Amino acid sequence: MPELPEVETVKNALAPYIEGETIKSFHFYTPRLRQELDAALFNKTFSGKKITRLKRRSKYLLFEFDDQKWILSHLGMTGSWRICKLTEERKKHEHISIRLDNDQELRYCDPRRFGEFRVITAPLDSTTDPQALSHLGPEPFDESYSQEYLWDLSRSKTKPIKNFIMDPRTVCGIGNIYASETLFRCGISPLRKTQKLRKKDCLNLINHSQSVLQSAIDAGGTTIIDFQAPDGSEGWFHQQLNVYGREGEDCVQCDKIIKRIVQAGRSSFYCPGCQK
Ligand SMILES: [Zn+2]
């Protein structure tokens, strides 16, 4: 499943091709992804409009226009975008084409169709519009994701720390792989109760989650999941994983064996020697 580093990679790869370009038309080849796709609404709202910026918020790609309207794209389990010539033949599972007025097309492929593609006509932080993104916590590289913030938020929480840092209301984009890797680097067991965090643990969590995510972004995402960047290259972050996917193998730091447990329906990998 594409996580924050993969989505950041997609954004960085696509942005130079589409920012400043004008949309000619939208073409849908399936009636729905996660939600219904309303071709008339997309064409009425955005045809002839210039894409001013491509942004990422959490795991969403946001096409920004200059009038407070947005297109939100979520890659679901298997979604990917690519840019190609208008004349290129459509591939299997390509469900959306956005025709640009420079004779290029932006195409969305999604074999399992769990992705999202929808129109937002309210400010992104609107608390009254259910389509907006106001439920999301801070971005992991924002100043608001601070030691004080985590410390205050963690005081009343009894759930395990792994579930706490994966909750998008705490911070966006720390997916399953990155949560296990971050906790290993911090020496914190995924089972520890959130309110048992010490103040210095909060700072460590911030620093290590940022460095884990940044390494993955620099590497172009992981290849644990079925992911390809829009330029066709694969990420290689999996070579740097210390615990994720390594159940039964030796710890890279001590003589213990890496364990796997299931928390909130997701696998957690950790070293019982290094993480308390
Ligand atoms: Zn260890």
Side-chain angles (χ1 to χ4, degrees):
M1 191 189 311
E3 297 200 18
L4 184 146
E6 288 78 22
V7 180
E8 182 73 13
T9 301
V10 172
K11 186 210 76 178
N12 291 337
L14 285 182
Y17 293 98
I18 66 169
E19 285 181 348
E21 299 298 337
T22 299
I23 292 180
K24 235 179 187 171
S25 53
F26 294 82
H27 303 268
F28 298 109
Y29 305 99
T30 183
R32 57 181 300 128
L33 295 172
R34 188 177 286 274
Q35 292 107 357
E36 208 168 301
L37 295 167
D38 183 344
L41 176 66
F42 275 94
N43 279 306
K44 190 182 81 184
T45 314
F46 297 112
S47 289
K49 296 273 168 64
K50 188 159 78 178
I51 302 168
T52 51
R53 210 142 74 100
L54 183 66
K55 292 178 32 164
R56 180 193 57 72
R57 173 81 170 104
S58 186
K59 295 198 281 180
Y60 297 102
L61 282 172
L62 293 159
F63 296 75
E64 186 178 351
F65 299 82
D66 55 13
D67 56 358
Q68 285 286 319
K69 293 191 175 104
W70 310 76
I71 296 172
L72 175 150
S73 162
H74 190 286
L75 302 174
M77 306 284 285
T78 54
S80 61
W81 284 100
R82 71 183 182 111
I83 190 98
C84 65
K85 286 254 176 285
L86 183 66
T87 48
E88 198 172 307
E89 204 167 312
R90 195 160 55 87
K91 290 183 183 168
K92 197 177 178 189
H93 303 303
E94 284 189 336
H95 303 303
I96 301 172
S97 293
I98 305 177
R99 202 158 292 174
L100 303 174
D101 70 357
N102 62 0
D103 287 337
Q104 304 241 54
E105 270 194 6
L106 195 52
R107 294 192 188 165
Y108 180 74
C109 176
D110 191 350
R112 296 186 63 182
R113 285 189 262 195
F114 286 122
E116 287 182 66
F117 191 70
R118 55 186 167 92
V119 177
I120 301 183
T121 53
L124 288 181
D125 57 358
S126 166
T127 49
T128 50
D129 189 318
Q131 296 276 64
L133 303 177
S134 59
H135 60 287
L136 295 172
E139 285 288 316
F141 296 102
D142 270 7
E143 277 177 20
S144 54
Y145 179 48
S146 67
Q147 185 179 25
E148 287 302 323
Y149 165 78
L150 265 195
W151 172 252
D152 289 345
L153 194 62
S154 61
R155 292 308 84 203
S156 59
K157 303 284 192 294
T158 54
K159 61 184 167 187
I161 180 66
K162 164 101 177 324
N163 303 352
F164 175 69
I165 61 168
M166 282 188 68
D167 185 339
R169 291 169 298 186
T170 303
V171 57
C172 291
I174 303 192
N176 202 37
I177 298 170
Y178 307 111
S180 282
E181 292 299 313
T182 296
L183 290 173
F184 176 75
R185 292 191 190 189
C186 293
I188 298 172
S189 164
L191 293 160
R192 197 197 294 181
K193 261 190 194 172
T194 300
Q195 61 187 188
K196 292 274 166 65
L197 282 176
R198 295 162 300 175
K199 207 157 188 183
K200 67 174 183 186
D201 293 325
C202 294
L203 187 60
N204 277 334
L205 274 171
I206 291 165
N207 290 337
H208 286 301
S209 57
Q210 287 176 341
S211 67
V212 164
L213 288 169
Q214 190 60 54
S215 315
I217 291 167
D218 293 344
T222 76
T223 54
I224 292 280
I225 39 80
D226 180 22
F227 172 75
Q228 270 207 334
D231 63 359
S233 65
E234 290 184 352
W236 47 265
F237 183 68
H238 69 292
Q239 293 171 0
Q240 305 167 30
L241 297 176
N242 288 314
V243 286
Y244 190 88
R246 298 193 62 241
E247 181 185 15
E249 294 179 31
D250 293 337
C251 174
V252 295
Q253 282 181 175
C254 74
D255 59 1
K256 296 281 193 299
I257 303 292
I258 302 301
K259 273 193 164 179
R260 183 181 79 92
I261 53 170
V262 175
Q263 295 179 287
R266 309 293 301 275
S267 291
S268 303
F269 297 87
Y270 72 106
C271 170
C274 297
Q275 294 174 256
K276 300 293 179 194

